[in-house]
Amino acid sequence: QQQVKQSPQSLIVQKGGISIINCAYENTAFDYFPWYQQFPGKGPALLIAIRPDVSEKKEGRFTISFNKSAKQFSLHIMDSQPGDSATYFCAADSSASKIIFGSGTRLSIRP
Amino acid sequence: NAGVTQTPKFQVLKTGQSMTLQCAQDMNHEYMSWYRQDPGMGLRLIHYSVGAGITDQGEVPNGYNVSRSTTEDFPLRLLSAAPSQTSVYFCASSYGLDYGYTFGSGTRLTVV
């Protein structure tokens, strides 16, 4: 049973374009939705996170859009750069003790 | 600060052997977790702890044991290694909700 579904599995975007990764969840008890970025050979690192009481959160070029009624959230990377090439994971948490991750999206930014 | 330290970085085991993956954090985090990462499967939670002396099972706990005798350390024990346990293992820790998790650099385990 996959509690957090992530798509697409892989994504290629031209430099300067917008990268969009989508996630959907099932458990309405989730109340914290982080995104993690992982470079090859490294552990994931927290990128940005949102609580369900807001519909959007922006930090620099990274924006989370959240739709509580549809139980969906997405990551938008504006002006995508080659340095953004990495694997991105969405996640959902209800207590900081049992965070559940999506299956990941491998993003490649073409120069 | 070292953050989350995992040892060893690489390990090859024979089927049936046992071993302990070490994890230590120096940030005084109460929450600690172990994940395994497999291609196309994302990160799957093995075991987690909300404080010293308290542990619980995650999504894929079979074949693994944990203990949390101190706030700093959270070792993961493989009881009898199987090829299906070939994976990259990550330990992570957190202050709590809204702070996210800090991950270690991982242990790449191969069971032959």
Side-chain angles (χ1 to χ4, degrees):
Chain A
Q1 180 185 3
Q2 191 175 4
Q3 296 192 53
V4 180
K5 296 182 179 181
Q6 183 172 347
S7 63
Q9 188 174 3
S10 62
L11 181 63
I12 299 174
V13 175
Q14 290 296 122
K15 178 182 176 182
I18 303 173
S19 303
I20 302 174
I21 304 170
N22 301 299
C23 282
Y25 64 98
E26 299 170 358
N27 188 347
T28 55
F30 291 141
D31 57 4
Y32 177 71
F33 300 89
W35 284 88
Y36 283 79
Q37 180 188 55
Q38 185 181 30
F39 293 105
K42 304 292 186 182
L46 180 65
L47 185 63
I48 186 172
I50 196 169
R51 287 274 203 165
D53 52 347
V54 297
S55 60
E56 185 176 281
K57 182 174 181 180
K58 183 176 181 180
E59 292 184 0
R61 296 184 294 108
F62 300 91
T63 299
I64 300 178
S65 297
F66 189 86
N67 186 329
K68 188 174 182 178
S69 61
K71 292 189 286 185
Q72 295 175 346
F73 59 110
S74 60
L75 176 69
H76 292 65
I77 305 175
M78 312 299 289
D79 187 27
S80 299
Q81 299 297 311
D84 297 330
S85 297
T87 299
Y88 292 81
F89 294 96
C90 63
D93 192 4
S94 60
S95 64
S97 61
K98 203 169 182 178
I99 188 168
I100 304 298
F101 285 84
S103 55
T105 296
R106 180 171 292 185
L107 175 65
S108 296
I109 307 300
R110 294 290 170 83
Chain B
N1 286 346
V4 178
T5 302
Q6 290 185 239
T7 56
K9 292 189 182 301
F10 302 93
Q11 183 70 49
V12 178
L13 285 179
K14 293 183 179 179
T15 298
Q17 287 184 319
S18 62
M19 79 159 294
T20 299
L21 278 63
Q22 301 292 342
C23 176
Q25 53 93 6
D26 60 358
M27 298 171 285
N28 202 33
H29 288 170
E30 289 295 324
Y31 298 95
M32 295 188 75
S33 297
W34 275 101
Y35 290 88
R36 60 177 290 173
Q37 183 172 25
D38 303 290
M41 302 290 289
L43 293 143
R44 291 182 292 169
L45 181 64
I46 304 172
H47 285 284
Y48 64 98
S49 170
V50 299
I54 306 170
T55 63
D56 205 348
Q57 297 181 351
E59 301 170 275
V60 289
N62 292 340
Y64 308 94
N65 274 355
V66 293
S67 60
R68 185 96 180 271
S69 57
T70 67
T71 299
E72 294 77 20
D73 300 299
F74 191 42
L76 177 71
R77 282 183 289 276
L78 279 70
L79 309 174
S80 177
S84 61
Q85 294 179 304
T86 293
S87 186
V88 180
Y89 291 84
F90 287 100
C91 178
S93 70
S94 174
Y95 279 120
L97 211 61
D98 288 331
Y99 293 93
Y101 269 84
T102 299
F103 280 79
S105 57
T107 294
R108 185 173 294 274
L109 175 68
T110 301
V111 183
V112 298

